[in-house]
Amino acid sequence: MEKASDKNKFSELRKKAQAFLTSNPENVKENEEIHRADVRQLIHELNTYQIELELQNEELRNSQHELEKSRHRYADFYDSAPVAFITANDKGLILEANLTAGDILGVARGQLLKRRLSDFIIPDDQDVFYLRWRKLLETRRQQSYDLRLQRSDGTVFHGQIETV
């Protein structure tokens, strides 16, 4: 962790280095020994900061790699779950669905996206769905209820809906 005194020292060395670069040749010869020490110190500080940045960069790369592995595990778990998972927005449009959801509803997963969840609920159960959906949005509390759903081939089946 960088200390305030180190920052001030670095700032002072930088000012001296800038003065060194802009000074006239006679002045450089007079203070050559002091300036060389300052330049050496500045180079040392820059090398230290470079090493710190490289170490931080390596840590970030490792963290990113671990996050990617975790995301991949999550995606595998999500897709291969034995129950249907559907993520919908507040309007009931399907944003994400796992493979099981597509299988159960008889639709390829990609064709589920941007469709209304209510498209798969039989007309007689639409009111139940609407009221429970509205309650979920108002209370932000989990809802659990049974509905009759319809596959793309017209087959009706009973399903338990858990909304969170």
Side-chain angles (χ1 to χ4, degrees):
M1 186 171 193
E2 187 176 305
K3 297 178 190 171
S5 62
D6 289 345
K7 251 186 182 175
N8 290 339
K9 189 184 272 187
F10 180 73
S11 180
E12 287 176 32
L13 289 173
R14 183 182 177 124
K15 286 178 185 174
K16 287 180 181 178
Q18 288 173 339
F20 172 75
L21 293 173
T22 57
S23 63
N24 62 40
E26 300 86 37
N27 193 17
V28 171
K29 287 178 185 174
E30 269 180 51
N31 298 315
E32 193 171 305
E33 194 59 39
I34 294 171
H35 288 296
R36 283 185 185 185
D38 289 344
V39 169
R40 261 188 253 117
Q41 179 65 29
L42 182 60
I43 289 171
H44 175 76
E45 291 292 324
L46 289 173
N47 286 334
T48 302
Y49 289 130
Q50 180 180 2
I51 291 168
E52 285 176 5
L53 288 173
E54 287 171 359
L55 291 172
Q56 288 174 358
N57 194 20
E58 183 64 28
E59 284 181 33
L60 286 172
R61 268 192 288 248
N62 290 338
S63 294
Q64 182 180 9
H65 180 69
E66 289 301 314
L67 282 171
E68 286 173 7
K69 281 178 20 183
S70 177
R71 184 188 56 78
H72 186 69
R73 279 193 310 269
Y74 168 76
D76 286 346
F77 170 74
Y78 181 82
D79 280 340
S80 63
V83 295
F85 285 121
I86 293 175
T87 303
N89 67 12
D90 60 346
K91 305 252 188 285
L93 288 177
I94 298 171
L95 303 175
E96 293 180 48
N98 68 350
L99 295 172
T100 306
D103 289 344
I104 288 173
L105 296 171
V107 178
R109 178 174 43 180
Q111 293 175 338
L112 283 174
L113 306 181
K114 303 293 184 200
R115 288 187 64 182
R116 293 193 173 281
L117 189 52
S118 60
D119 291 350
F120 300 98
I121 299 168
I122 68 166
D124 290 346
D125 286 359
Q126 290 284 333
D127 287 344
V128 172
F129 174 72
Y130 174 76
L131 292 172
R132 292 295 191 126
W133 189 261
R134 199 171 82 194
K135 187 174 181 181
L136 170 72
L137 294 176
E138 288 171 2
T139 65
R140 298 288 184 203
R141 291 182 169 235
Q142 181 175 343
Q143 303 291 313
S144 179
Y145 49 98
D146 293 329
L147 288 178
R148 288 172 290 168
L149 301 156
Q150 188 169 11
R151 290 184 177 92
S152 63
D153 66 2
T155 308
V156 175
F157 65 98
H158 291 269
Q160 183 176 7
I161 309 295
E162 298 279 336
T163 56
V164 181

